[in-house]
């Protein structure tokens, strides 16, 4: 069981990151997003009209200038498969897509990806292509008597927020891999998990919310277990099993499918309007960005360092096991020394910009060292305690120009997977020194 659990940690946190985590470029990645975003918060009567587009009260953004980052990776340091060449994995980063498609037929809501007014680097034609590829839900049209159901129920989960998000992603992956439909009981853990940060319920329209959820993720929602009795087969899996699930299919299909799910979430991030499944007002996913950068949140250039100690010795043991299997340094991501951080930020020209520090507060000496460093210290910014919350912290890290995380943390893992899904390449988690002692 220990080996399987470790394999799940490595794959669940890193599989979609293999392609991008150690990419080096000669250019600095900037957002270049100086524009006035169109923010739509429809009135109640407009929400009903827009419900078929999945825009019921959620922020969407639009701008005419489309940003394409200088994605020209020179080397990949990640030690995964020494026989794999750059030419063989680039098609996974930029899959073969028909660039001649008529973009005028794109539905009105399929605007270039934006979160909190910040343009995501993913090319819009790629986003559209992948969404179209997976947007049909043929199994929902089958009679229940010929359909297998993976049922998610209860409120007990394995681990914290990072684990739970991966468990939800894995449930959809399992269903896809096994020709099943994910069934979710109303009031169960996925409902609470999702609506706290995305897809709030507006105007009490549960029916409209359920319809959108089912079509967006190709799932079924149920009010009682009796409704599932008509299905040919019902699979029950503990959340620990979902967390440990690994798929055997092509890597590029895994990356595309998981990325589509994540982008679906971020197209409907909560903006402080509406209620979650507990019927409590939702927070604004952009609140931390706004608290730190104010009116400059759309264009601010910044990095995020996520320091996670993982309860001391257990974290060290886990990192040593990951390092043995993957080849990264066993302590660098835990210690976050100034040397380590500067080795990542300096080549990208990011030492002159704000460095946001997210931490579990278990090792205060890490922050103290960074603050004392003459190059890093002046630009370290802390999240105000009154503004910090899990959704806001995630958004801050996901939309950063550079992210430095911990490969043993599923919280870091979800952030990095989200960034890969949105097209960001400056994600640093699996690092090691070369023969010259350089990171």
């Amino acid at each position: 069981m220990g080996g399987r659990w470790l394999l799940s940690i490595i794959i669940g946190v890193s599989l979609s990151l293999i392609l991008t985590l150690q990419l080096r470029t000669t250019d600095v990645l900037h957002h270049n997003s100086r524009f006035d975003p169109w923010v739509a918060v429809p009135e109640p009567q407009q929400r009903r009209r827009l419900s078929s587009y999945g825009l019921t009260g959620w922020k969407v953004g639009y701008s005419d200038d489309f940003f394409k980052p200088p994605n020209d990776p020179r080397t990949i340091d990640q030690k995964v498969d020494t026989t794999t060449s750059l030419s063989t994995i680039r098609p996974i980063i930029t899959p073969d897509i028909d660039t001649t498609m008529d973009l005028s037929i794109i539905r009105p809501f399929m605007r270039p990806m934006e979160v909190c007014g910040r343009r995501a680097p993913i090319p819009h034609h790629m986003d559209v292509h992948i969404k179209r590829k997976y947007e049909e839900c043929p199994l929902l049209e089958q009679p229940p008597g010929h359909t297998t159901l993976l049922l998610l129920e209860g409120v007990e989960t394995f681990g914290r927020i990072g684990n739970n998000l991966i468990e939800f992603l894995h449930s959809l992956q399992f269903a896809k891999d096994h020709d099943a439909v994910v069934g979710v009981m109303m009031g169960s853990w996925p409902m609470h998990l999702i609506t706290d940060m995305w897809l709030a319920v507006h105007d009490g329209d549960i029916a409209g919310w359920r319809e959108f959820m089912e079509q967006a993720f190709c799932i079924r929602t149920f009010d009682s277990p009796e409704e599932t009795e008509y299905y040919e087969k019902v699979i029950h899996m503990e959340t620990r099993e979902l967390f440990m699930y690994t798929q055997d299919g092509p890597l590029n299909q895994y990356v595309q499918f998981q990325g589509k799910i994540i982008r679906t979430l971020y197209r409907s991030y909560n903006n402080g309007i509406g209620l979650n499944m507990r019927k409590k007002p939702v927070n604004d996913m952009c609140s931390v960005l706004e608290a730190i950068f104010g009116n400059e949140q759309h264009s601010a250039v910044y990095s995020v360092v996520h320091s996670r100690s993982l309860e001391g010795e257990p974290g060290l043991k886990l990192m040593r096991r990951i390092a043995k299997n993957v080849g990264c340094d066993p302590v660098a991501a835990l210690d976050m020394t100034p040397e380590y951080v500067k080795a990542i930020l300096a080549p990208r020209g990011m030492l002159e910009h704000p460095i946001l520090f997210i931490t579990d507060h278990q090792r205060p000496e890490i922050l103290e060292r960074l603050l004392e460093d003459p190059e890093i210290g002046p630009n370290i910014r802390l999240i105000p305690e009154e503004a910090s919350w899990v959704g806001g912290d995630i958004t801050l890290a996901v939309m950063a120009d550079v992210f430095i995380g911990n490969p043993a943390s599923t919280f870091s893992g979800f952030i990095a997977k989200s960034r890969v899904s949105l097209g960001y390449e400056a994600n640093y988690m699996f690092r090691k020194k070369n023969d010259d002692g350089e990171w």
Side-chain angles (χ1 to χ4, degrees):
M1 176 63 74
R4 187 181 175 205
W5 177 74
L6 175 62
L7 179 62
S8 301
I9 285 280
I10 295 173
I11 294 180
V13 172
S14 67
L15 187 53
S16 67
L17 310 179
I18 291 173
L19 310 176
T20 57
L21 289 177
Q22 300 303 321
L23 303 179
R24 293 179 179 174
T25 69
T26 55
D27 299 302
V28 179
L29 177 63
H30 293 289
H31 283 285
N32 190 25
S33 55
R34 294 185 178 87
F35 53 84
D36 295 323
W38 173 53
V39 177
V41 184
E43 296 300 319
Q45 63 272 22
Q46 293 174 304
R47 292 198 184 105
R48 287 188 289 273
R49 188 166 64 251
L50 295 177
S51 62
S52 61
Y53 294 110
L55 292 181
T56 48
W58 299 303
K59 286 182 180 176
V60 293
Y62 171 73
S63 175
D64 288 330
D65 61 324
F66 176 59
F67 171 53
K68 295 182 179 179
N71 296 333
D72 181 22
R74 305 300 174 86
T75 61
I76 297 181
D77 295 334
Q78 172 59 36
K79 182 176 164 185
V80 177
D81 180 356
T82 56
T83 64
T84 299
S85 68
L86 182 62
S87 62
T88 62
I89 60 178
R90 279 190 63 82
I92 301 176
I93 302 174
T94 55
D96 185 15
I97 293 172
D98 180 10
T99 57
T100 65
M101 70 170 63
D102 181 8
L103 296 184
S104 66
I105 64 175
I106 297 175
R107 297 175 186 173
F109 71 95
M110 272 301 291
R111 304 296 189 183
M113 265 314 290
E114 270 188 18
V115 178
C116 303
R118 297 177 70 86
R119 176 65 56 81
I122 182 172
H124 187 46
H125 66 274
M126 181 190 299
D127 185 15
V128 173
H129 171 81
I130 296 173
K131 184 180 186 302
R132 285 179 174 173
K133 181 177 179 179
Y134 295 107
E135 70 180 350
E136 300 298 328
C137 305
L139 293 183
L140 294 186
E141 306 302 322
Q142 288 187 172
H146 298 104
T147 304
T148 298
L149 191 72
L150 169 62
L151 186 60
L152 307 183
E153 56 189 334
V155 294
E156 297 296 325
T157 57
F158 174 64
R160 301 174 182 174
I161 292 291
N163 285 30
N164 304 154
L165 290 167
I166 290 174
E167 289 152 14
F168 175 68
L169 294 175
H170 282 186
S171 71
L172 297 175
Q173 188 69 49
F174 178 93
K176 177 180 178 295
D177 297 341
H178 294 82
D179 294 321
V181 171
V182 171
V184 184
M185 295 297 301
M186 294 297 290
S188 61
W189 66 268
M191 298 298 191
H192 297 306
L193 175 72
I194 293 172
T195 58
D196 281 347
M197 293 179 279
W198 304 277
L199 292 157
V201 179
H202 295 271
D203 302 325
D205 185 11
I206 291 292
W209 180 88
R210 290 176 69 162
E211 180 181 358
F212 176 68
M213 280 285 293
E214 291 183 347
Q215 290 301 314
F217 300 105
C218 295
I219 66 175
R220 280 284 183 238
T221 58
F222 300 98
D223 292 307
S224 67
E226 288 74 22
E227 296 177 62
T228 68
E229 294 177 356
Y230 302 99
Y231 282 81
E232 179 180 24
K233 180 180 180 181
V234 178
I235 301 173
H236 300 269
M237 294 179 69
E238 299 291 335
T239 52
R240 183 186 181 93
E241 294 180 87
L242 291 172
F243 179 78
M244 294 190 296
Y245 175 70
T246 59
Q247 64 96 38
D248 298 323
L251 178 60
N252 63 326
Q253 292 184 18
Y254 173 86
V255 173
Q256 287 184 8
F257 181 68
Q258 294 281 293
K260 180 262 181 184
I261 298 168
I262 291 172
R263 287 192 297 278
T264 299
L265 291 173
Y266 281 101
R267 287 191 189 280
S268 302
Y269 63 88
N270 290 347
N271 62 4
I273 300 174
L275 304 178
N276 60 21
M277 274 295 117
R278 299 177 181 86
K279 298 183 179 181
K280 301 293 184 182
V282 296
N283 287 323
D284 187 346
M285 291 284 278
C286 307
S287 60
V288 174
L289 263 168
E290 184 175 358
I292 294 171
F293 296 112
N295 294 333
E296 296 181 358
Q297 71 180 55
H298 307 134
S299 57
V301 177
Y302 68 96
S303 303
V304 165
V305 174
H306 178 223
S307 174
R308 181 84 164 87
S309 298
L310 299 166
E311 287 73 43
E313 186 59 30
L316 285 170
K317 289 182 178 179
L318 179 56
M319 274 300 301
R320 283 195 290 265
R321 295 172 69 185
I322 291 177
K324 181 179 179 180
N325 283 272
V326 179
C328 62
D329 189 278
V331 296
L334 289 171
D335 292 342
M336 289 291 181
T337 63
E339 174 204 14
Y340 178 74
V341 173
K342 285 190 288 188
I344 295 171
L345 298 183
R348 305 190 69 88
M350 295 299 290
L351 288 178
E352 299 177 357
H353 298 282
I355 304 169
L356 279 298
F357 190 77
I358 300 176
T359 178
D360 58 8
H361 303 289
Q362 292 183 7
R363 293 183 59 190
E365 71 273 13
I366 294 176
L367 176 59
E368 291 171 3
R369 285 198 302 260
L370 294 176
L371 287 171
E372 292 171 357
D373 185 87
E375 294 180 273
I376 296 178
N379 287 315
I380 288 288
R381 303 277 290 275
L382 302 180
I383 301 174
E385 186 174 346
E386 65 277 8
S388 179
W389 71 285
V390 63
D393 293 353
I394 287 175
T395 305
L396 177 75
V398 166
M399 301 310 295
D401 293 85
V402 178
F403 175 68
I404 305 174
N406 186 330
S409 165
T410 53
F411 189 80
S412 272
F414 177 76
I415 289 169
K417 290 181 74 169
S418 297
R419 289 173 57 81
V420 170
S421 301
L422 297 179
Y424 289 101
E425 294 186 351
N427 313 299
Y428 297 92
M429 289 174 44
F430 301 90
R431 300 283 286 176
K432 63 183 180 66
K433 287 186 176 181
N434 59 23
D435 294 337
D436 297 326
E438 299 174 339
W439 290 105

